[in-house]
Amino acid sequence: MDPTTDNAGNTGDPGTARAALEALRAEIAKAVVGQDPAVTGLVVALLCRGHVLLEGVPGVAKTLLVRALASALELDTKRVQFTPDLMPSDVTGSLVYDTRSAEFSFQPGPVFTNLLLADEINRTPPKTQSSLLEAMEERQVTVDGTPRLLPEPFLVAATQNPVEYEGTYPLPEAQLDRFLLKLTIPLPSREDEINVLTRHSEGFNPRDLHAAGLRPVAGPADLEAARAAVAKTTISPEITAYVVDICRATRESPSLTLGVSPRGATALLATARAWAWLTGRDYVTPDDVKALALPTLRHRVQLRPEAEMEGVTADSVINAILTHVPVPR
């Protein structure tokens, strides 16, 4: 096979790549109803080589969404159910003694995949949560002093339940900052829920995506071409200053004890750039920044206890900041 052509038959041309990635929404919709913003967020994360925290109540198709994305992109995916007794080696892999060769050999863990679904990540202790940090940041794991590279592309999609806190270990700010985006998965509308039930009554099986008609519409070559095109998307000095002003405003907000770090500002610039390219432009506008501000920044700020008691949310604070920070012309 030509190395510039993936199994989906795409050549890695930027124009073809954009069309293929746009087709993901329609393809994933064969299995997942009404979650276009989450699909877009996952694609943006892949383009930025970032990771995603998915937050939603049980039963809103978070797991199905990741599996459908992997199927439509022809990527390998694995799922880890995070529990209180999960050990770091259960995620990264470990050395196993081979009695036949009298040697230790490395057995890769589930982290060696393209899309890792870390289900209910806040149900495991910090020691196991931190086993993902090196993988997320360095794209490698170190076992017995030997670093081992992870496949490319690599994305961690971690889920957590926003309403159940008993027996959980909230992710510390340092680990939350490692996630490029935090996407909230809402309950479906009445029409979407009727659509879901109708599909199930007609025989839809969420465990058999092939039978649902899902097929690869893009692949690794498209992602590489898209990433190269995103890197060429123009960012004016005014847009850079706008991003900095938004992030600095979070550090001065009276409702927050923790504002957005420079890493968060870099993340917002990157996600806005990817969104601009996905929508067909080779330059970034203030609207691109506004469109990605909430998912990129909401998990990087910390509310004051008194503000939280008054019903203030991270989203409302960021929206207020977007309203007051001057927009470049």
Side-chain angles (χ1 to χ4, degrees), residues 84-199:
D85 60 347
L86 193 74
M87 299 296 292
S89 59
D90 296 329
V91 178
T92 61
S94 59
L95 295 176
V96 177
Y97 184 72
D98 188 339
T99 55
R100 290 174 296 181
S101 63
E103 294 180 348
F104 284 94
S105 62
F106 178 66
Q107 295 297 317
V111 75
F112 286 85
T113 186
N114 297 125
L115 268 67
L116 176 67
L117 177 63
D119 214 355
E120 294 187 296
I121 190 173
N122 57 335
R123 286 204 170 277
T124 200
K127 182 178 181 180
T128 304
Q129 290 177 7
S130 65
S131 68
L132 277 179
L133 285 180
E134 182 187 12
M136 292 168 64
E137 191 69 19
E138 306 296 335
R139 298 180 181 275
Q140 66 178 26
V141 295
T142 302
V143 177
D144 197 34
T146 302
R148 293 173 169 84
L149 294 177
L150 296 171
E152 182 61 36
F154 173 69
L155 178 143
V156 174
T159 72
Q160 63 179 16
N161 183 344
V163 296
E164 190 175 2
Y165 295 103
E166 186 177 349
T168 64
Y169 303 83
L171 274 67
E173 284 71 24
Q175 187 166 349
L176 283 172
D177 206 34
R178 293 294 198 281
F179 287 97
L180 182 72
L181 300 172
K182 179 181 177 181
L183 305 175
T184 55
I185 311 297
L187 288 166
S189 65
R190 182 175 183 274
E191 292 74 17
D192 285 341
E193 194 163 2
I194 290 173
N195 193 350
V196 169
L197 267 63
T198 301
R199 290 186 181 194

Side-chain angles (χ1 to χ4, degrees), residues 4-5 7 12 16 59 72 76 79 88 90 93 98 102 134 163 165 182 200 218 257 265 286 304 312 323 325:
T4 63
T5 305
N7 292 336
T16 305
D76 182 45
R79 175 180 177 271
D90 296 329
D98 188 339
E134 182 187 12
V163 296
Y165 295 103
K182 179 181 177 181
H200 279 266
T257 58
R304 292 187 182 277
V312 176
T323 301
V325 172

Side-chain angles (χ1 to χ4, degrees), residues 115-325:
L115 268 67
L116 176 67
L117 177 63
D119 214 355
E120 294 187 296
I121 190 173
N122 57 335
R123 286 204 170 277
T124 200
K127 182 178 181 180
T128 304
Q129 290 177 7
S130 65
S131 68
L132 277 179
L133 285 180
E134 182 187 12
M136 292 168 64
E137 191 69 19
E138 306 296 335
R139 298 180 181 275
Q140 66 178 26
V141 295
T142 302
V143 177
D144 197 34
T146 302
R148 293 173 169 84
L149 294 177
L150 296 171
E152 182 61 36
F154 173 69
L155 178 143
V156 174
T159 72
Q160 63 179 16
N161 183 344
V163 296
E164 190 175 2
Y165 295 103
E166 186 177 349
T168 64
Y169 303 83
L171 274 67
E173 284 71 24
Q175 187 166 349
L176 283 172
D177 206 34
R178 293 294 198 281
F179 287 97
L180 182 72
L181 300 172
K182 179 181 177 181
L183 305 175
T184 55
I185 311 297
L187 288 166
S189 65
R190 182 175 183 274
E191 292 74 17
D192 285 341
E193 194 163 2
I194 290 173
N195 193 350
V196 169
L197 267 63
T198 301
R199 290 186 181 194
H200 279 266
S201 67
E202 292 173 350
F204 170 71
N205 182 0
R207 295 173 184 81
D208 189 355
L209 296 181
H210 181 74
L214 257 76
R215 61 182 180 85
V217 294
D222 291 309
L223 280 176
E224 284 305 311
R227 286 170 173 176
V230 168
K232 297 176 183 177
T233 302
T234 303
I235 302 174
S236 69
E238 292 78 13
I239 293 296
T240 302
Y242 182 51
V243 169
V244 169
D245 289 343
I246 291 171
C247 295
R248 290 182 68 86
T250 65
R251 301 168 203 164
E252 299 167 0
S253 171
S255 298
L256 301 176
T257 58
L258 179 69
V260 177
S261 68
R263 178 191 286 151
T266 303
L268 180 54
L269 200 63
T271 55
R273 199 179 204 180
W275 174 244
W277 180 83
L278 275 174
T279 52
R281 280 178 283 101
D282 60 358
Y283 58 91
V284 181
T285 69
D287 285 341
D288 298 323
V289 176
K290 289 181 178 181
L292 272 297
L294 285 180
T296 308
L297 303 182
R298 58 163 59 109
H299 56 297
R300 304 175 192 271
V301 300
Q302 191 174 50
L303 289 167
R304 292 187 182 277
E306 55 270 28
E308 200 166 1
M309 290 177 63
E310 292 172 1
V312 176
T313 64
D315 284 13
S316 65
V317 172
I318 294 170
N319 278 325
I321 288 171
L322 291 175
T323 301
H324 290 96
V325 172

Side-chain angles (χ1 to χ4, degrees), residues 70-90:
S71 178
L73 279 173
E74 206 167 26
L75 297 175
D76 182 45
T77 182
K78 290 185 173 68
R79 175 180 177 271
V80 178
Q81 182 67 48
F82 279 68
T83 56
D85 60 347
L86 193 74
M87 299 296 292
S89 59
D90 296 329

